[in-house]
Amino acid sequence: MDLRQLLLTLMLVWANDSFSTSEGQSNDGTCSKTRILIPLSPHPVLLERPHFIKCRSPELETFSCHWTNRDFHNLTTPGNIQLLYMRRNDEEWKDCPDYVTAGENSCYFNTSYTSIWITYCVKLINKDEVFDEKCFSVDEIVQPDPPVGLNWTLLNISLTGIHADIQVRWEPPPSADVLKGWITLEYELQYKEVNKTKWRELEPMLTTAVPLYSLKLGRDYEIRVRSRQRASEKFGEFSETLYVSLSSISPVLYVEVVSELEFPLLLVVIFGTFGVIVVMALILFSKHQRLKMLILPPVPAPKIKGIDPNLLKKGKLDEVNSILACHDSYKAQLYNDDSWVEFIELDIDDPDEKADGLDTDRLLGDNHLKSHNCLGVKDDDSGRASCCEPDIPETDFSASDICDGTSDIDRSKKISEKEEDLLCLDQNDNDESLASPDDPTAQKPNINIQSEDNQSKPSSADSIESPSPPVHTQLSNQSSVANIDFYAQVSDVTPAGSVVLSPGQTNKTRRTQCEAYTEPAIQCQPRFTMDNAYFCEADVKKCITATSHDAAEPHVQEQNFIEDVYFTTESLTTTAENPGPAAEASSTEMPVPDYTSIHIVHSPQGLVLNATALPVPDKEFVISCGYVSTDQLNKIMP
Amino acid sequence: MFLSKKGVTSLPICPSGSAGCQVSLGNLFDRAVKLSHYIHSLSSEMFNEFDERYAQGRGFITKAINGCHTSSLTTPEDKEQAQQIHHVDLLNLVLGVLRSWNDPLLHLVSEVQSFKEAPDTILWKAMEIEEQNKRLLEGMEKIVGQVHPGEIENEVYSKWSGLPSLQMADEDSRLFAFYNLLHCLRRDSHKIDNYLKLLKCHLIHDSNC
């Protein structure tokens, strides 16, 4: 009760403030308000004085006022509340013309009592006690009745089958004379889904029909309309709610799913597009050059066949001109040369490697290499080094005196070929040399190289294997072809049975070949066919003994020491050591075969041929004389 | 062809689309109604803005019961009276009211500009109302010339003497003067709008609106 009293007191105070005016302004005939003071008491009597609730005109033709009346009569003097009104032009207050029509505690003013655009003042009194007073103009209190006749029609359904458009119509309140234009109403429509709480509003409109767009199928909607006088602020009451049932129209089956996916689908589309744009930008920036090439391909430069565009870049105009001036063939040659040169340039620069395959170099030593024009040429890009091939014997031997025949088989074979050519020539020389066997050094060089070799050989005591100049001291002072030193002849057979080898007596072989084998023929009867250049050892013995060997022995021996012996039987390159004095006797007695079988190799320095085993040749052996293979030798020897 | 007001034989009201009429009466009324509708909307908005901005808590509403300067013109006070009055008289009354407002609107515009802290919307509306009122007056004169071309009636209008009150030094008095002026403007524009609509329905549509 105390709270209620406090609230009432506050309300009365507020009402007093809103209606209070100065006393001096009540003289001009307007409604005046008297200030009402309410004493505050500890237990204030809750006086809810009658006051106007509202005065309202629905159609601008009539109006009515309503007031409150609560338990007042019980507290104060009993009486009826009167409403007095006065218009601006009137002079006195008039009583309410109709207390009934508008209901209880109301006063109704019909059209005859209603004047528009005229200020009215009404007051509530009870006898002389004024409870409330109010002044207004009728055109200011217009609150129309609610519209009637709401209905809706379906306009269309969207293609997706999700949304629909409807048209809502209504009628103005029948009380309002809008046809003649006495009152102009504007309407406000509100709608919402059935299960929602918030109404959606449309802008006030002057028409009585409005379309509603994008209503969802499968849902139910509520629609209500209210009206107000144009240019006024207060709306009338809402109309009855119109129920729009769109659920009766069955949506497409996928509508629910699609509607649920609308939002994420939109996001996906947006982000997908953004991603595609980013990827395209990355591709553009990364493949900028390639795309540029694709879109704007470079103009192909004129290409002349056979010309290296690098030449143009380097500015070698001479070469370019030469190329251009010549025909294609020339161009090819030049181009090939250039490429060949270029190719050469890429080769390794070590000249020693080139000569690795040559054993001669190893034998000769580095100094020989340097003097060798061929090998000494540095392997540069000029290509001159490649024109020098160590395999070419001519070049080798012509180039230097040291290009001796090596122990290389190939070389020896070639040299042997040479030897045969020179056999006949040497023969004459040999004959001459035989006459003067004392001059071992006086050798008539058939070949310059050989003479050089012969001269150098005696000076060098090192045991080197090479086709040493054949110094046939026994037979001739000149060893015909130095290369023929591949052949070794048995110069002597020791009593122990070992054979002393000496450098091949080529003159002997030649003689046999040339059939000018006169001297040996004198002394020994050739019991062997002459078809073979090689002798059996037995046969050789006989021939050798006939030959003069005494004088040549020391030389031979000397030279045996010096000279190398080369055996072609097994391609063993060894240095034969002169057995020594034992060889002297044997060497003189025995003919000198070119080939001698080797059956024992004592050491790298010595080679001993066991002749004792040999003198027991089988017939087989004899028949196949000339060469005793190691197999045969193994049979013979223990 | 411009219809002169003086000494012209009465011409029948031009039916819509008939030759000889410069503009059909129907079109004139349509334009007039639109203008009056527009003027009333602007007046109401301007009054509401002013009321919200300056007149809150000042009790102006009780004081503004004072009559407007156009009260001397006996205009119909309800619909029945408006329907009973002759349309020509009514038209003349409309013209009188419109003429009565020429002067106050001019001063209103000038005074609102000098009024400090006046929002631009009020000023713009005042200017717009003043301009449209002139146009409506011209239109109404044409209508009257068509409807009742005849003798010139005395141009009845009410003079306005409220200018000094708008220029008072006291701010409250000045505000009240403005408030009162705007209040009267809203009321009179409403009257004119209603009258013209009634006339239109009555004259053009023959009460079959």
Side-chain angles (χ1 to χ4, degrees):
Chain A
M1 284 299 287
D2 292 338
L3 184 62
R4 284 181 60 189
Q5 290 176 5
L6 185 61
L7 285 173
L8 281 171
T9 307
L10 290 171
M11 282 175 63
L12 286 170
V13 169
W14 174 80
N16 191 20
D17 288 338
S18 64
F19 285 104
S20 63
T21 61
S22 59
E23 294 178 356
Q25 296 178 354
S26 59
N27 296 331
D28 53 356
T30 62
C31 293
S32 63
K33 302 258 171 73
T34 57
R35 193 165 292 180
I36 300 169
L37 297 176
I38 300 170
L40 287 174
S41 62
H43 297 284
V45 177
L46 182 63
L47 299 175
E48 186 171 347
R49 298 173 65 230
H51 61 274
F52 287 106
I53 299 173
K54 76 174 177 183
C55 292
R56 168 181 171 261
S57 170
E59 73 284 83
L60 202 65
E61 297 174 25
T62 65
F63 72 101
S64 61
C65 285
H66 299 265
W67 62 86
T68 62
N69 185 10
R70 295 181 57 177
D71 298 335
F72 185 75
H73 291 158
N74 296 333
L75 297 175
T76 59
T77 57
N80 292 329
I81 297 173
Q82 268 185 322
L83 184 140
L84 299 176
Y85 73 94
M86 186 173 72
R87 290 187 291 186
R88 182 174 59 84
N89 297 330
D90 293 342
E91 296 177 354
E92 61 180 3
W93 291 90
K94 295 178 183 178
D95 195 14
C96 173
D98 187 351
Y99 285 100
V100 178
T101 307
E104 189 177 356
N105 298 329
S106 68
C107 181
Y108 176 73
F109 296 84
N110 56 16
T111 59
S112 60
Y113 290 98
T114 306
S115 297
I116 315 300
W117 303 296
I118 302 219
T119 304
Y120 277 81
C121 288
V122 291
K123 65 180 181 180
L124 286 174
I125 61 168
N126 185 8
K127 298 217 175 136
D128 292 331
E129 187 178 4
V130 178
F131 300 122
D132 196 3
E133 204 170 337
K134 190 174 181 182
C135 292
F136 54 85
S137 171
V138 178
D139 55 300
E140 296 171 354
I141 58 169
V142 176
Q143 283 182 276
D145 290 332
V148 295
L150 271 72
N151 60 358
W152 66 277
T153 55
L154 184 66
L155 288 177
N156 52 20
I157 298 178
S158 64
L159 293 174
T160 57
I162 302 172
H163 299 106
D165 303 334
I166 62 172
Q167 180 89 353
V168 182
R169 291 183 179 274
W170 60 88
E171 295 296 324
S175 58
D177 188 5
V178 295
L179 289 175
K180 293 183 179 176
W182 179 246
I183 185 168
T184 306
L185 296 178
E186 60 183 10
Y187 307 92
E188 183 189 70
L189 185 140
Q190 295 183 354
Y191 69 100
K192 73 174 179 66
E193 291 185 30
V194 174
N195 54 2
K196 297 283 181 65
T197 57
K198 187 175 180 183
W199 290 89
R200 301 176 70 176
E201 298 177 358
L202 298 181
E203 290 293 322
M205 67 205 84
L206 295 172
T207 57
T208 59
V210 70
L212 284 180
Y213 298 113
S214 295
L215 294 184
K216 295 181 181 177
L217 287 176
R219 311 277 178 93
D220 292 338
Y221 288 88
E222 292 176 343
I223 300 174
R224 62 183 185 183
V225 186
R226 62 179 179 176
S227 64
R228 70 175 176 185
Q229 187 187 20
R230 175 181 65 93
S232 295
E233 295 178 352
K234 293 181 182 179
F235 276 101
E237 294 296 326
F238 278 105
S239 65
E240 292 180 356
T241 305
L242 175 68
Y243 286 94
V244 178
S245 176
L246 296 177
S247 59
S248 60
I249 303 169
S250 61
V252 187
L253 288 175
Y254 63 85
V255 164
E256 293 288 338
V257 177
V258 173
S259 63
E260 289 175 0
L261 291 176
E262 277 179 357
F263 184 69
L265 185 66
L266 186 65
L267 278 178
V268 166
V269 167
I270 288 170
F271 280 108
T273 309
F274 188 72
V276 166
I277 289 170
V278 168
V279 167
M280 297 253 318
L282 281 173
I283 290 172
L284 269 174
F285 281 112
S286 63
K287 305 275 186 183
H288 179 66
Q289 292 297 328
R290 276 194 67 184
L291 283 176
K292 203 175 172 186
M293 296 280 283
L294 280 174
I295 295 169
L296 301 172
V299 177
K303 223 171 190 182
I304 303 172
K305 192 175 178 181
I307 291 183
D308 187 8
N310 290 329
L311 291 176
L312 295 171
K313 286 183 187 175
K314 292 175 184 175
K316 296 180 181 176
L317 295 177
D318 293 335
E319 292 178 346
V320 174
N321 288 333
S322 64
I323 290 168
L324 290 172
C326 299
H327 296 291
D328 291 341
S329 60
Y330 293 124
K331 278 190 257 178
Q333 287 178 359
L334 288 170
Y335 193 77
N336 289 335
D337 289 338
D338 292 336
S339 63
W340 190 47
V341 171
E342 291 175 2
F343 173 76
I344 298 266
E345 289 183 0
L346 298 174
D347 285 343
I348 52 178
D349 295 335
D350 187 7
D352 293 336
E353 292 184 17
K354 266 271 181 182
D356 276 346
L358 308 173
D359 293 331
T360 324
D361 298 333
R362 264 193 245 113
L363 298 171
L364 297 175
D366 293 339
N367 52 356
H368 298 300
L369 286 173
K370 290 175 187 173
S371 60
H372 198 290
N373 292 338
C374 174
L375 298 175
V377 172
K378 185 182 178 183
D379 190 10
D380 56 356
D381 296 337
S382 63
R384 283 188 283 276
S386 59
C387 60
C388 171
E389 293 185 0
D391 290 339
I392 300 174
E394 287 182 354
T395 311
D396 279 338
F397 295 112
S398 62
S400 80
D401 53 349
I402 309 207
C403 255
D404 297 333
T406 61
S407 59
D408 194 336
I409 298 172
D410 296 334
R411 218 182 211 186
S412 64
K413 283 184 180 174
K414 290 180 184 174
I415 293 168
S416 65
E417 292 173 359
K418 296 281 182 180
E419 176 191 355
E420 290 177 0
D421 297 332
L422 301 168
L423 270 176
C424 298
L425 293 175
D426 293 338
Q427 200 68 346
N428 298 329
D429 295 332
N430 288 336
D431 292 339
E432 294 175 357
S433 63
L434 284 170
S436 60
D438 295 338
D439 188 3
T441 59
Q443 297 170 358
K444 292 182 181 178
N446 294 328
I447 303 173
N448 296 329
I449 301 170
Q450 296 170 4
S451 62
E452 292 173 355
D453 292 337
N454 293 333
Q455 290 172 359
S456 62
K457 272 300 178 181
S459 61
S460 61
D462 52 350
S463 63
I464 50 179
E465 57 176 0
S466 67
S468 56
V471 178
H472 306 285
T473 55
Q474 303 171 8
L475 301 172
S476 63
N477 56 351
Q478 60 106 34
S479 65
S480 52
V481 180
N483 298 333
I484 316 302
D485 293 337
F486 291 118
Y487 302 93
Q489 49 184 316
V490 178
S491 60
D492 191 13
V493 178
T494 61
S498 61
V499 175
V500 178
L501 294 175
S502 63
Q505 302 283 340
T506 56
N507 52 359
K508 296 282 186 205
T509 60
R510 292 193 195 100
R511 282 182 198 168
T512 54
Q513 290 179 353
C514 290
E515 292 183 325
Y517 185 74
T518 57
E519 293 185 4
I522 298 172
Q523 295 173 352
C524 61
Q525 294 179 0
R527 286 192 284 169
F528 45 86
T529 57
M530 299 296 285
D531 59 351
N532 199 342
Y534 309 105
F535 297 89
C536 291
E537 192 171 356
D539 296 333
V540 171
K541 280 184 189 177
K542 298 171 184 178
C543 294
I544 288 175
T545 52
T547 58
S548 60
H549 59 277
D550 293 334
E553 279 186 5
H555 300 284
V556 172
Q557 292 174 1
E558 270 184 319
Q559 294 173 357
N560 285 338
F561 284 102
I562 299 166
E563 295 160 347
D564 294 335
V565 176
Y566 177 76
F567 300 94
T568 59
T569 53
E570 293 181 347
S571 74
L572 289 174
T573 62
T574 57
T575 58
E577 182 179 8
N578 200 342
E584 294 178 3
S586 63
S587 64
T588 53
E589 294 177 357
M590 294 188 64
V592 183
D594 288 338
Y595 280 93
T596 309
S597 65
I598 307 165
H599 88 106
I600 294 175
V601 179
H602 284 288
S603 69
Q605 302 198 2
L607 183 67
V608 176
L609 293 179
N610 193 353
T612 55
L614 295 176
V616 186
D618 296 333
K619 282 190 178 182
E620 180 184 9
F621 180 75
V622 174
I623 293 173
S624 64
C625 76
Y627 181 81
V628 179
S629 66
T630 48
D631 292 336
Q632 291 175 342
L633 201 58
N634 291 329
K635 291 178 188 175
I636 297 168
M637 302 308 293
Chain B
M1 186 172 72
F2 179 72
L3 293 175
S4 175
K5 302 175 199 173
K6 301 181 181 180
V8 178
T9 57
S10 64
L11 292 174
I13 297 173
C14 299
S16 59
S18 64
C21 291
Q22 188 175 7
V23 179
S24 67
L25 195 63
N27 286 336
L28 286 172
F29 264 108
D30 287 337
R31 296 178 192 181
V33 168
K34 285 181 181 177
L35 280 173
S36 64
H37 186 100
Y38 184 47
I39 290 167
H40 177 59
S41 299
L42 290 174
S43 302
S44 297
E45 291 174 5
M46 188 166 64
F47 175 78
N48 291 332
E49 287 181 20
F50 188 89
D51 188 22
E52 289 179 6
R53 190 176 177 88
Y54 299 105
Q56 290 298 325
R58 293 175 183 267
F60 287 160
I61 189 166
T62 56
K63 297 176 183 178
I65 307 300
N66 294 336
C68 302
H69 67 287
T70 56
S71 300
S72 59
L73 298 174
T74 58
T75 56
E77 294 176 349
D78 57 11
K79 190 176 80 172
E80 294 174 353
Q81 291 181 10
Q83 288 175 337
Q84 290 171 1
I85 191 171
H86 194 266
H87 61 273
V88 176
D89 295 330
L90 188 57
L91 284 171
N92 288 326
L93 284 171
V94 169
L95 283 173
V97 173
L98 290 173
R99 293 192 190 104
S100 299
W101 277 101
N102 277 335
D103 198 33
L105 286 172
L106 276 172
H107 290 94
L108 179 65
V109 171
S110 63
E111 293 304 319
V112 166
Q113 287 176 352
S114 64
F115 193 85
K116 58 180 180 180
E117 296 178 359
D120 295 334
T121 54
I122 291 177
L123 177 61
W124 172 80
K125 287 185 174 71
M127 296 171 67
E128 188 73 8
I129 292 168
E130 192 265 336
E131 182 180 350
Q132 299 300 329
N133 192 66
K134 289 180 186 175
R135 291 179 61 190
L136 180 60
L137 185 60
E138 294 175 0
M140 289 310 300
E141 289 177 349
K142 287 183 180 178
I143 289 171
V144 171
Q146 283 193 13
V147 170
H148 184 71
E151 60 196 24
I152 299 171
E153 295 184 6
N154 293 329
E155 292 184 352
V156 177
Y157 69 97
S158 301
K159 274 191 174 182
W160 180 64
S161 60
L163 182 58
S165 62
L166 290 179
Q167 295 169 340
M168 290 170 67
D170 183 20
E171 185 177 355
D172 287 343
S173 302
R174 194 148 56 97
L175 283 174
F176 177 72
F178 272 105
Y179 181 87
N180 199 28
L181 188 62
L182 294 175
H183 183 264
C184 290
L185 179 60
R186 185 182 74 166
R187 192 180 73 176
D188 287 345
S189 63
H190 192 205
K191 278 186 183 176
I192 292 166
D193 190 34
N194 278 19
Y195 296 155
L196 290 177
K197 286 174 181 174
L198 282 175
L199 286 171
K200 177 187 172 184
C201 179
H202 176 66
L203 294 176
I204 306 300
H205 303 282
D206 199 14
S207 301
N208 295 326
C209 305

